[in-house]
Amino acid sequence: MDFDRIADKYDSWFATPLGAAIDRWEKDVTWHLARPRPGEKVLDIGTGTANYLIDLAQRGLDCTGLDIGFHMLSRARAKSHALGLDLKLVAADSERLPYPHQSFDLVVSVTAFEFFTDPVRSVEEMVRVCRPGGRIVVGVLNKWSVWAARRRVLGWFRETIFAECRFYSYPEMRRLFGPVDWATAAFAPPGLPARLIPFFERLEPVFRTWARPFGAYLVVCKHVPSDLG
């Protein structure tokens, strides 16, 4: 998939009422699991236009972002410069991370893992570059959600980025990463009118408990043992 073709549209989704709400809900559960702390070194794999990385930089972390899309990285650089942030942005892929062992306190990847050609190798690389005692936090589009079903159907009839991605469920992520903490978010249906967003905002915490396997966004956190030797 040529992600540079969608770079101009990528951020526009977050400017819509529903996109902004979902972004807020997804970040809420992601940061709850990740527990980012000022001064930590973080690597964002598949950073795109740096939506999450900018948030981490504003929290005081030392931020490195990696992506295969040059246009994506260009937009990320322009956005970070406009905000006065210093991000290290690198063109590379998840299967060959250009960093030494144990380089980062926190490794994150949000809605990029679905497109990785070799997920097993990518997980190995995440573990390799994460320091003992660090965290690996990966957010994906949840296979068991209405959003995923809709995206699969749309992919049958027209070219979309979702036609070339693999959706994951919690059991599949656990098989790849081993024991993890996990959560889901974003239970509002696709196409929700803006006037109904406050209603789902109130229900979001309830759904995270009672409908946990079915949120549109699934995030897992793997704690790297501190006794790796």
Side-chain angles (χ1 to χ4, degrees):
M1 179 70 193
D2 182 4
F3 289 95
D4 279 342
R5 289 189 302 160
I6 65 167
D8 292 333
K9 299 179 181 179
Y10 190 77
D11 288 326
S12 62
W13 158 248
F14 300 113
T16 67
L18 182 56
I22 288 178
D23 185 48
R24 183 171 63 254
W25 298 332
E26 291 177 350
K27 284 178 177 173
D28 180 52
V29 292
T30 301
W31 300 149
H32 178 75
L33 291 180
R35 305 289 183 186
R37 296 184 287 270
E40 287 188 315
K41 294 188 66 175
V42 58
L43 173 65
D44 182 11
I45 302 172
T47 192
T49 62
N51 179 28
Y52 274 70
L53 199 62
I54 285 173
D55 199 343
L56 288 166
Q58 291 172 330
R59 291 168 178 256
L61 281 76
D62 181 349
C63 292
T64 299
L66 179 151
D67 204 280
I68 61 172
F70 288 97
H71 195 183
M72 288 282 198
L73 290 173
S74 178
R75 287 184 63 87
R77 189 170 290 109
K79 286 167 59 179
S80 62
H81 286 173
L83 294 168
L85 299 173
D86 181 23
L87 306 182
K88 306 175 188 72
L89 298 171
V90 178
D93 68 60
S94 63
E95 297 172 22
R96 292 173 293 276
L97 299 177
Y99 304 105
H101 288 58
Q102 303 178 7
S103 295
F104 299 94
D105 304 292
L106 175 62
V107 177
V108 302
S109 182
V110 177
T111 57
F113 193 80
E114 301 91 324
F115 301 94
F116 292 171
T117 303
D118 188 342
V120 173
R121 174 62 178 165
S122 298
V123 172
E124 292 172 348
E125 281 290 274
M126 291 178 188
V127 173
R128 181 183 68 79
V129 301
C130 191
R131 291 172 179 164
R135 294 92 64 212
I136 299 169
V137 178
V138 177
V140 295
L141 303 171
N142 185 12
K143 176 189 279 188
W144 291 351
S145 72
V146 174
W147 285 80
R150 178 178 181 270
R151 285 160 172 160
R152 279 194 293 267
V153 171
L154 288 177
W156 298 341
F157 299 101
R158 64 171 186 258
E159 183 182 5
T160 74
I161 62 170
F162 304 111
E164 300 182 32
C165 81
R166 174 180 176 178
F167 300 102
Y168 288 90
S169 64
Y170 165 68
E172 291 171 321
M173 294 296 282
R174 194 183 190 284
R175 283 195 290 272
L176 284 165
F177 286 91
V180 291
D181 298 326
W182 68 287
T184 67
F187 295 86
L192 183 74
R195 68 180 183 277
L196 295 181
I197 291 174
F199 174 72
F200 278 87
E201 186 91 52
R202 292 191 294 272
L203 289 177
E204 179 77 11
V206 177
F207 283 137
R208 290 179 191 176
T209 298
W210 296 106
R212 188 182 182 195
F214 307 113
Y217 175 74
L218 165 67
V219 58
V220 300
C221 177
K222 178 181 180 65
H223 295 269
V224 178
S226 57
D227 56 348
L228 291 179

